[in-house]
């Protein structure tokens, strides 16, 4: 149906090049010629401010080819496929963002998408800067007017692209272009997971973006010289270690300028060694032996690439080296970034590293999606200004024990739960009881987020219910509706197995008349923001149960807290700060801590881990076939063994399982006391003031972008 708010800007377009080759001009300047050319065309979406006269522009990009790229001769001769080939190659860049990249074609398309967004945006930014500048353009002022924030490693190519434009199109020197780029660009790290710390095949980038490879090699050379200046060449073993960890180019020979330094260092080292030998009056044959040892030492420090390993470009290292600031997105995550992920870089440039805890907007995540709760907040705080100034939410804490507020709060929650029940009936066909506890885990399906821990806990609960009489069940268990939602990446087989498992458990449990409304399990299809706007206001318990130290921040945890939803979780990501703000008594905590994880994995590798009997019991129950004919050996097998890819319970589901079950028992206990539960819910909303995106953006503006944030009237 199109998008009425999206305005095509055919008057704003920029060329984006792929493939081709690099040649040197008569003046020595490099030119990137030939190859495949597409046009990036702007599409604008106006973003109005909340109760202000300010509107900013969100500029998006589509791709097409210039008319001259259409092969009219091929079309006239009937070869229509050939005639349209260039058009289709350009258009497929925008079909699906980041499709499966298992194949070379998939990887190539993903890289094209990343580069298109970087190149078009930077060309547009530079054109705007030039329009607003007086002649001659003062490029040294560019970082004072422009901030480029790399949101994870996907836009890393903006570093070599900005340098390319400044060098090749604007005629700046390498020194000027490198300095401007480093002062303009900053990097937000979002994860400690290897798949997000992108590595690209050097060969693929060389084919697709040959000029950028030249620039990346120059940046790598700059970085190596910085490392040598910091650590020297006396301790070559230390230098080898640092270069292996920190270089942008992985498994690639050293530049000539670096080899020259190392060669001189080794010659000097050899002379010193011989003089020392002479002083000790060693025999000639001992001197020869000494020289032989020195030759052997040389081999150790030649940094020859391993022909068996691929040559790669490490994008995260390029981000850190090419920018002036690096931040994590929660306090614990930023510490992990400094102490583990980029520890060598932190030692080299400690001033670069910062924390900026994520935030979410209260305009959407309370005011818009939860009007019933919004009215209550406005009534009890005495103002609607909390929508712009979330610190006002703190005042709710003063009334947390007030019976009138608690009554209104519970009624608003129930109305939202009725909406959720209606939504679930429409989308899944399952009928659920709005008087049951609504227990929700909605987020990307990933093993580290541990949807598997959640569903295995539900399976254990179901098994215990089946072993009890009806009266025992009702006395022992609080009725629950367990809701899952989220998407698995196209080629992530294990994540898809988990989704399949959840739906199979739901099909069995939801049709078990013995259990009835005591337990329901629902997987919501096609989860997105609109679905979240329905589920979050009606949620009572929210699960944020990732393996400690693996979730950078999370933002759904903030959205749930804003809506008075109590959380069960580990000390991971923003959970740590949420627990601090809402109060330790208002957060259900379980599981191993981040600093323990490495030791626990090592313990597992040594075969010392002893699984809790309840964990073995639940795996056996799954394998018994109670949830249908699908073979879950692969899924359960990932939780077994002591080593190997896809085994050994890398995400510590088995380790945290008993702690999780005991914490869930506590949840049931507290839920029975609705007055206590409601107070906890109110205090969660009151404590969520810190997680407004307004606050986060102001911190970025002040600390990273170097501008004083302006609060408009």
């Amino acid at each position: 149906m199109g998008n009425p708010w999206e305005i095509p800007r055919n008057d704003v377009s920029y060329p984006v090049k792929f493939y081709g080759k690099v040649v040197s001009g008569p003046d020595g300047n490099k030119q990137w010629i030939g190859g495949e050319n597409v046009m990036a065309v702007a599409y604008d979406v106006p973003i109005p401010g909340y109760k202000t006269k300010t509107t900013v522009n969100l500029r998006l990009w589509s791709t097409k080819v210039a008319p001259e790229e259409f092969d009219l001769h091929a079309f006239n001769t009937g070869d229509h496929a050939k005639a349209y080939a260039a058009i289709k190659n350009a258009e497929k860049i925008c079909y699906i963002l980041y499709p499966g990249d298992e194949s070379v074609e998939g990887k190539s398309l993903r890289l094209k998408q990343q580069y298109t967004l970087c190149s078009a945006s930077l060309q547009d930014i530079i054109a705007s800067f030039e329009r607003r500048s007086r002649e001659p353009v003062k490029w040294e002022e560019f970082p004072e007017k422009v901030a480029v924030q790399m949101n994870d490693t996907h836009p890393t190519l903006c570093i070599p692209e900005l340098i390319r434009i400044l060098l090749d199109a604007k005629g700046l020197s390498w020194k000027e272009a490198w300095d401007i780029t480093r002062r303009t660009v900053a990097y937000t790290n979002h994860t400690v997971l290897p798949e997000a710390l992108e590595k690209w095949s050097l060969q693929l980038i060389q084919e697709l973006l040959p000029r950028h490879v030249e620039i990346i090699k120059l940046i790598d050379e700059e970085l190596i010289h910085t490392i040598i200046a910091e650590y020297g060449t006396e301790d070559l073993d230390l230098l080898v270690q640092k270069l292996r960890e920190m270089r942008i180019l992985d498994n690639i020979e050293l530049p000539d300028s670096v080899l020259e330094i190392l060669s001189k260092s080794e010659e000097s080292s050899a002379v010193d060694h011989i003089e020392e030998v002479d002083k000790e009056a060693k025999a000639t044959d001992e001197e020869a032996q000494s020289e032989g040892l020195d030759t052997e030492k040389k081999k150790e420090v030649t940094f020859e690439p391993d022909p068996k390993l691929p040559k790669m470009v490490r994008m995260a290292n390029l981000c850190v080296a090419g920018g002036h600031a690096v931040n994590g997105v929660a306090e614990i995550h930023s510490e992990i970034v400094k102490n583990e992920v980029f520890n060598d870089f932190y030692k080299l440039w400690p001033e670069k590293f910062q924390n900026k805890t994520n935030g979410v907007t209260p305009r959407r995540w309370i005011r818009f999606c939860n009007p019933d709760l919004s009215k209550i907040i406005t009534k009890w705080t005495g103002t609607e200004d909390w929508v712009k100034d979330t610190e006002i939410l703190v005042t709710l804490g003063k009334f947390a024990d007030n019976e009138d507020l608690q009554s209104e709060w519970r009624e608003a929650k129930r109305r939202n739960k009725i909406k959720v029940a209606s939504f679930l009936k429409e989308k899944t066909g399952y009928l659920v009881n709005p008087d049951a506890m609504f227990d929700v885990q909605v987020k990307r399906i990933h093993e580290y987020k541990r949807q598997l821990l959640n569903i295995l806990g539900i399976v254990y609960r179901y098994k215990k219910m089946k072993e009890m009489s009806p009266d025992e069940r009702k006395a022992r268990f609080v009725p629950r509706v367990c809701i899952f939602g989220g998407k698995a990446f196209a080629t992530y087989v294990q994540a898809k197995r988990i989704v399949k498992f959840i739906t199979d458990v739901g099909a069995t449990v939801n049709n078990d008349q013995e259990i009835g409304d005591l337990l329901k399990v629902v997987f919501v299809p096609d989860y997105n923001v609109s679905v979240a706007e329905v589920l979050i206001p009606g949620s009572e318990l929210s699960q944020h149960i990732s393996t400690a130290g693996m979730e950078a921040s999370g933002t759904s945890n903030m959205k749930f807290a804003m809506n008075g939803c109590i959380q069960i979780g580990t000390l991971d990501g923003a959970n740590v700060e949420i627990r601090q703000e809402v109060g330790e008594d208002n957060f259900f905590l379980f599981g191993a801590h981040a600093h323990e994880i490495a030791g626990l994995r090592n313990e597992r590798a040594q075969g010392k881990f002893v699984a809790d009997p309840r964990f073995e019991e639940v795996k056996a129950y799954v394998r018994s076939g109670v949830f249908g004919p699908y073979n879950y050996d692969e899924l359960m097998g990932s939780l077994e063994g002591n080593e190997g890819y896809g085994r050994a319970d890398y995400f510590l589901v088995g380790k945290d399982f008993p702690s999780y079950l005991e914490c869930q028992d506590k949840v049931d206990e507290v839920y029975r006391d609705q007055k206590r539960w409601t107070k906890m819910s109110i205090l969660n909303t009151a404590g969520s003031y810190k997680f407004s995106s307004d606050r986060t953006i102001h911190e970025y503006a002040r600390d990273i972008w170097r501008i004083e944030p302006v609060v408009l009237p």
Side-chain angles (χ1 to χ4, degrees), residues 178 182 219-232 239 243 246 348-349:
W178 178 227
R182 281 188 299 173
I219 297 171
D220 185 58
E221 189 172 348
E222 291 273 357
L223 176 60
I224 294 170
H225 282 291
T226 302
I227 295 168
I228 291 174
E230 177 70 18
Y231 294 102
L239 186 60
L243 293 181
M246 300 174 72
L348 185 62
W349 295 308

Side-chain angles (χ1 to χ4, degrees), residues 14 35 41-42 85 264 305 314 332 358 380 423 467 470 527 573 577 607:
Y14 299 96
V41 181
K264 287 179 180 177
R314 296 190 279 204
I332 186 174
N358 276 338
W380 286 85
F423 175 82
E467 293 168 357
Y527 179 70
E577 291 156 88

Side-chain angles (χ1 to χ4, degrees), residues 242-491:
K242 294 298 178 184
L243 293 181
R244 281 177 180 163
E245 291 295 323
M246 300 174 72
R247 280 193 69 185
I248 295 160
L249 299 176
D250 185 21
N251 197 40
I252 294 167
E253 57 278 352
L254 287 170
D256 291 341
S257 63
V258 176
L259 289 173
E260 187 178 339
I261 292 172
L262 292 175
S263 176
K264 287 179 180 177
S265 171
E266 288 179 341
E267 287 172 10
S268 172
S269 176
V271 169
D272 291 343
H273 182 66
I274 291 168
E275 287 176 354
E276 192 176 312
V277 169
D278 286 340
K279 286 177 184 177
E280 294 175 4
K282 294 289 184 182
T284 307
D285 60 331
E286 289 177 331
E287 288 181 12
Q289 185 181 359
S290 173
E291 288 174 7
L293 288 172
D294 190 58
T295 304
E296 186 179 328
K297 187 175 180 183
K298 270 189 180 180
K299 289 179 182 176
E300 293 175 3
V301 294
T302 53
F303 300 89
E304 289 293 329
D306 186 339
K308 298 176 184 176
L309 297 175
K311 297 183 176 185
M312 307 296 287
V313 181
R314 296 190 279 204
M315 307 306 262
N317 289 18
L318 179 52
C319 286
V320 178
H324 69 272
V326 179
N327 72 280
V329 289
E331 285 180 7
I332 186 174
H333 172 237
S334 294
E335 290 304 307
I336 291 170
V337 164
K338 290 192 292 187
N339 298 328
E340 296 177 29
V341 183
F342 297 123
N343 183 246
D344 287 317
F345 287 103
Y346 175 63
K347 290 175 180 175
L348 185 62
W349 295 308
E351 71 283 354
K352 277 191 183 187
F353 288 79
Q354 304 183 15
N355 175 63
K356 296 288 170 282
T357 299
N358 276 338
V360 297
T361 172
R363 264 84 68 189
R364 176 166 295 276
W365 293 109
I366 308 181
R367 183 69 183 83
F368 173 76
C369 73
N370 199 343
D372 289 335
L373 185 64
S374 298
K375 289 173 187 173
I376 294 171
I377 294 171
T378 298
K379 174 184 173 182
W380 286 85
T381 60
T383 178
E384 202 179 32
D385 288 348
W386 61 268
V387 179
K388 293 187 289 183
D389 181 6
T390 50
E391 289 198 25
I392 294 171
L393 292 174
V394 176
T395 59
L396 285 171
K398 296 188 297 184
F399 309 109
D401 288 309
N402 186 290
E403 290 187 6
D404 292 334
L405 173 57
Q406 288 203 359
S407 177
E408 292 175 25
W409 200 270
R410 279 193 293 269
E411 182 56 34
K413 181 64 74 174
R414 194 175 192 283
R415 285 196 293 270
N416 286 321
K417 289 172 70 179
I418 290 170
K419 291 177 186 175
V420 172
S422 175
F423 175 82
L424 295 179
K425 175 67 170 67
E426 177 189 344
K427 295 295 182 183
T428 69
Y430 289 129
L431 284 169
V432 301
N433 180 7
D435 292 322
M437 180 204 299
F438 279 21
D439 170 353
V440 180
Q441 186 179 19
V442 285
K443 53 183 76 238
R444 182 165 53 95
I445 311 297
H446 199 292
E447 288 170 278
Y448 89 83
K449 292 179 183 285
R450 299 203 294 190
Q451 286 90 353
L452 187 54
L453 175 60
N454 186 351
I455 191 63
L456 287 176
I458 292 167
V459 168
Y460 185 81
R461 187 183 188 92
Y462 175 65
K463 183 177 187 295
K464 294 297 119 179
M465 285 181 174
K466 294 292 286 181
E467 293 168 357
M468 296 177 181
S469 68
D471 290 340
E472 286 175 324
R473 283 185 210 120
K474 288 181 182 178
R476 172 75 174 78
F477 295 106
V478 165
R480 285 207 201 194
V481 177
C482 300
I483 301 168
F484 293 83
K487 293 176 181 176
F489 188 64
T491 55

